[in-house]
């Protein structure tokens, strides 16, 4: 064990350098069996939120903490196609960054005691399907009797939210003068979308995670079977043209999965669970029954918090961070989703605005839903004896361990200066130590860093008491082994 501890000098860097086999992000998967047809060939240029002030006749904006002169409403012409209310944005811009499109501060944000609004998206721009009968859409675009209505109606509202939303999205693209026809240009094409639903068999095998690969294969099959059942040769043209090939449908499902919200909404007197695609900022909230980090993402319903457990949250253009500077808020009174900056948060011009998509979920779940993983996911960590908790990726990196859980091995190519010694106990620990249980208090990276530092100091003290080199350790072990076998 002693020689392995020498590598702990790398620990401070472990939070940022990825282990390739776990830190997998799907980027360009081309050779797809059923050649997915992208929504558009290219995504439009980034939107600059600092454009001319539009008029919003029926819209009374929420009072915000900044003076009116500092606000920069965003409403390029294409947002206004017969919609009374439009999306508004303050002090932000949409730009392409390392994680695709993202939302960035277009000016410094000083910390304020109260959260402040940076985006407002009205219900009219969202695609919404309620989960329970009588289920309904927003906007009211599917006429009764249209065959897509019957297809959606044939699904299970509890389990098929992604298939239902995919149908609605494809219908919206096809409907004349629909906002989504234009917004579709901002969605990632099949080549750009990181969803593993669009991955080939080859791509999935590269994950080196057989569980994840088989889950994704099953999901692909499910979407494919749904398409085959509902897009057979006898369907009317108005259905056929929505998804002429299965790739188009699976692309729509991947958009629904990676950009949708499931939340409770009140429309009139009715409170229902709804699945929504929210342009600019939308989210997936699958109730999990667990409450973690609720302070990071609170959805407040007419002043009262309706749900306080949001393991899965994504936004349409907002990227994910485990230390986000923003959160989402449903404003019942005028049926708006607001993106708000955390109270007390300072953000510098050019910094990215982020929210937390998931709580209490390991990287495998991030990969399954969104096609990326995070080396600072506090839920992918293992408990050491004592108080120190270390991220699983950090642990494996420090000891140059590669492979899949259960088959971990020491990868000498990753080791520094030919030091290929690793104690079997370390590998055994990596194989057997559980990742955090759901009941544990999650760590944030700064806490983990502190824990690693403590662990490192402890190890160095131990090492000082046994000042052998790796070569000496191996020799000693070799002799020991010879003694035992002899
Ligand atoms: C809701 S969208 C966010 C907008 C997206 N970046 C885009 O270009 O449209 C979610 C997708 O963004 C990407 N993403 C978001 N946060 C990320 C992160 N922290 N690391 C890597 N990719 C991320 C993933 O491709 C994910 O499926």
């Amino acid at each position: 064990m002693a020689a392995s501890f020498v590598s702990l000098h790398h620990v401070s860097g472990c939070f940022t350098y990825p282990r390739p086999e776990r830190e997998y992000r799907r980027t360009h998967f081309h050779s797809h069996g059923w050649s997915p047809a992208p929504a558009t060939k290219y995504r439009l240029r980034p939107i600059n939120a600092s454009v001319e002030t539009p008029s919003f006749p029926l819209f009374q904006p929420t009072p915000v903490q900044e003076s009116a002169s500092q606000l920069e409403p965003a409403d390029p012409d294409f947002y206004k196609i017969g919609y009374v209310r439009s999306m508004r944005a303050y002090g932000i811009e949409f730009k392409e960054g390392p994680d695709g499109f993202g939302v960035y501060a277009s000016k410094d944000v000083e910390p304020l005691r109260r959260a402040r609004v940076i985006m407002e998206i009205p219900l009219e721009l969202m695609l919404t399907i309620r989960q329970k009968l009588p289920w309904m859409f927003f906007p009211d675009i599917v006429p009764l009797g249209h065959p897509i209505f019957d297809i959606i109606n044939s699904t299970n509202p509890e389990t098929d939210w992604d298939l239902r939303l995919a149908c609605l999205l494809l219908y919206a693209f096809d409907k004349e003068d629909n906002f989504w026809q234009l917004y579709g240009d901002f969605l990632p094409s099949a080549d750009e979308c990181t969803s593993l639903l669009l991955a080939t068999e080859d791509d999935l095998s590269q994950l080196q995670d057989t569980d994840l690969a088989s889950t994704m294969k099953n999901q692909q099959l499910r979407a494919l079977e749904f398409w085959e059942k509902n897009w057979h040769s006898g369907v009317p043209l108005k259905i056929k043209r929505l998804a002429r090939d299965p790739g188009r449908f699976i692309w729509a499902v991947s958009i629904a999965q990676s950009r949708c919200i499931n939340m409770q909404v009140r429309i009139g007197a009715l409170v229902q669970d709804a699945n929504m695609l929210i342009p600019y900022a939308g989210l997936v909230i699958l109730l999990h029954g667990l409450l973690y980090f609720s302070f990071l993402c609170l959805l407040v319903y007419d002043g009262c918090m309706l749900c306080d457990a949001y393991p899965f949250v994504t936004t349409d253009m907002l990227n994910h961070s485990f230390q986000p500077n923003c959160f989402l808020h449903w404003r019942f009174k005028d049926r708006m989703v607001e993106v708000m900056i955390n109270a007390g948060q300072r953000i510098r011009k050019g910094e990215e605005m982020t929210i937390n998509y998931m709580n209490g979920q390991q990287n495998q779940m991030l990969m399954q839903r969104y096609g990326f993983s995070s080396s600072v996911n506090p839920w992918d960590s293992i408990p050491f004896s004592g108080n120190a908790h270390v991220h699983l990726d950090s642990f494996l990196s420090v000891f140059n361990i590669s492979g899949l859980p259960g088959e971990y091995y020491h990868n000498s190519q990753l080791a520094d200066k030919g030091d290929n010694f690793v104690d079997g106990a370390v590998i055994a620990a990596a194989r057997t130590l559980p990742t955090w249980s759901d009941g544990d208090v999650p760590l944030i990276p700064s806490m983990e860093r502190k824990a690693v530092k403590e662990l490192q100091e402890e190890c160095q003290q131990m090492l000082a008491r046994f000042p052998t080199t790796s070569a000496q350790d191996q020799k000693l072990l070799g002799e020991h082994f010879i003694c035992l076998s002899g």
Side-chain angles (χ1 to χ4, degrees):
M1 190 83 173
S4 304
F5 287 145
V6 176
S7 333
L8 281 168
H9 294 300
H10 302 298
V11 158
S12 59
C14 285
F15 301 95
T16 47
Y17 71 75
R19 297 180 64 250
E21 58 272 49
R22 291 176 59 83
E23 186 74 0
Y24 183 90
R25 184 188 155 135
R26 188 180 171 275
T27 45
H28 297 287
F29 291 160
H30 293 288
S31 52
H32 207 289
W34 11 257
S35 60
T40 52
K41 268 199 169 145
Y42 307 103
R43 292 175 86 180
L44 291 179
R45 297 315 312 152
I47 312 159
N48 190 340
S50 311
V51 295
E52 291 212 334
T53 311
S55 58
F56 297 92
L58 295 185
F59 171 57
Q60 298 297 316
T62 326
V64 286
Q65 279 71 33
E66 293 173 296
S67 74
S69 63
Q70 286 176 290
L71 301 184
E72 296 167 350
D75 193 29
D77 279 349
F78 57 81
Y79 295 172
K80 300 185 275 184
I81 32 175
Y83 291 88
V84 177
R85 296 196 301 169
S86 198
M87 175 267 191
R88 298 193 80 185
Y90 310 108
I92 58 163
E93 55 187 348
F94 297 88
K95 287 197 302 195
E96 200 136 20
D99 301 328
F101 274 37
V103 180
Y104 293 81
S106 63
K107 59 187 174 196
D108 289 347
V109 176
E110 294 309 321
L112 283 184
R113 285 206 347 241
R114 294 184 61 187
R116 81 189 78 178
V117 178
I118 54 164
M119 271 197 256
E120 295 167 316
I121 302 108
L123 189 67
E124 294 91 305
L125 297 189
M126 306 172 194
L127 289 182
T128 308
I129 298 188
R130 289 211 298 233
Q131 285 185 0
K132 295 224 169 78
L133 286 170
W135 54 269
M136 56 172 293
F137 310 107
F138 268 103
D140 212 0
I141 54 169
V142 183
L144 258 177
H146 190 285
I148 196 73
F149 188 96
D150 298 328
I151 294 178
I152 296 175
N153 217 16
S154 72
T155 58
N156 179 344
E158 305 287 335
T159 53
D160 297 336
W161 58 271
D162 50 348
L163 304 177
R164 293 154 67 82
L165 261 182
C167 290
L168 189 56
L169 180 66
L170 291 169
Y171 178 80
F173 287 149
D174 189 58
K175 170 129 173 105
E176 280 298 298
D177 286 341
N178 190 289
F179 167 85
W180 285 83
Q181 277 190 327
L182 296 165
Y183 190 68
D185 289 346
F186 289 87
L187 296 174
S189 68
D191 282 348
E192 294 164 325
C193 187
T194 59
S195 168
L196 293 172
L197 265 186
L198 297 162
T200 62
E201 194 140 327
D202 227 25
D203 297 328
L204 292 178
S205 68
Q206 282 174 35
L207 292 173
Q208 297 186 27
D209 184 333
T210 43
D211 285 351
L212 179 59
S214 100
T215 303
M216 295 319 301
K217 267 187 218 153
N218 288 340
Q219 285 203 24
Q220 289 174 340
L221 203 62
R222 167 178 167 262
L224 187 63
E225 282 170 358
F226 185 83
W227 180 84
E228 281 168 354
K229 181 171 153 223
N230 294 294
W231 267 263
H232 53 82
S233 56
V235 293
L237 183 64
K238 51 184 167 182
I239 288 295
K240 206 173 275 175
R241 68 175 184 234
L242 301 187
R244 287 188 186 276
D245 57 79
R248 172 76 168 159
F249 182 71
I250 293 173
W251 169 81
V253 179
S254 73
I255 291 293
Q257 285 199 355
S258 60
R259 314 174 88 90
C260 138
I261 166 174
N262 171 9
M263 77 173 167
Q264 278 192 309
V265 290
R266 188 167 94 201
I267 312 288
L270 212 58
V271 177
Q272 272 217 359
D273 285 327
N275 301 109
M276 300 163 146
L277 278 174
I278 304 180
Y280 317 103
L283 64 165
V284 178
I285 299 169
L286 297 185
L287 291 182
H288 191 258
L290 298 168
L291 168 60
Y292 300 121
F293 281 168
S294 56
F295 59 93
L296 293 179
C297 53
L298 300 181
L299 276 186
V300 181
Y301 182 83
D302 198 18
C304 314
M305 210 168 83
L306 263 187
C307 311
D308 51 10
Y310 303 109
F312 299 167
V313 180
T314 71
T315 67
D316 192 59
M317 286 298 166
L318 285 156
N319 285 320
H320 160 87
S321 165
F322 283 105
Q323 291 183 301
N325 44 27
C326 295
F327 66 98
L328 300 152
H329 173 254
W330 167 246
R331 197 166 77 222
F332 164 72
K333 197 162 61 91
D334 34 22
R335 298 175 184 181
M336 291 263 182
V337 163
E338 299 172 319
V339 180
M340 303 188 89
I341 298 178
N342 296 338
Q345 183 85 49
R346 182 189 298 279
I347 304 178
R348 292 285 172 221
K349 179 178 173 179
E351 272 178 32
E352 186 165 13
M353 318 293 230
T354 53
I355 58 155
N356 190 348
Y357 286 7
M358 279 187 170
N359 292 309
Q361 296 293 335
Q362 295 184 340
N363 278 337
Q364 212 218 33
M365 189 51 84
L366 272 176
M367 286 295 291
Q368 198 177 309
R369 183 55 63 80
Y370 311 109
F372 74 90
S373 66
S374 166
S375 59
V376 293
N377 183 346
W379 302 100
D380 252 30
S381 69
I382 50 174
F384 279 84
S385 58
N387 290 327
H389 280 62
V390 180
H391 192 282
L392 179 60
D393 277 346
S394 312
F395 180 90
L396 298 177
S397 300
V398 163
F399 295 109
N400 304 315
I401 295 171
S402 296
L404 300 171
E407 294 162 13
Y408 285 137
Y409 65 95
H410 181 249
N411 187 343
S412 56
Q413 283 172 346
L414 298 177
D416 272 352
K417 296 179 198 139
D419 179 2
N420 62 0
F421 177 79
V422 66
D423 193 310
V426 172
I427 292 193
R431 282 199 193 120
T432 57
L433 279 176
T435 49
W436 283 6
S437 75
D438 285 342
D440 284 337
V441 180
L443 286 179
I444 53 174
S446 62
M447 285 168 69
E448 188 189 32
R449 223 166 282 145
K450 194 165 162 261
V452 171
K453 204 163 176 301
E454 278 169 15
L455 190 66
Q456 187 177 6
E457 278 162 14
E458 209 179 302
C459 293
Q460 278 166 351
Q461 282 167 15
M462 283 166 67
L463 200 58
R465 275 188 271 140
F466 303 97
T468 52
T469 62
S470 169
Q472 285 169 326
D473 284 343
Q474 286 187 68
K475 191 161 170 279
L476 278 172
L477 276 177
E479 281 164 8
H480 183 60
F481 181 75
I482 291 164
C483 279
L484 284 177
S485 56

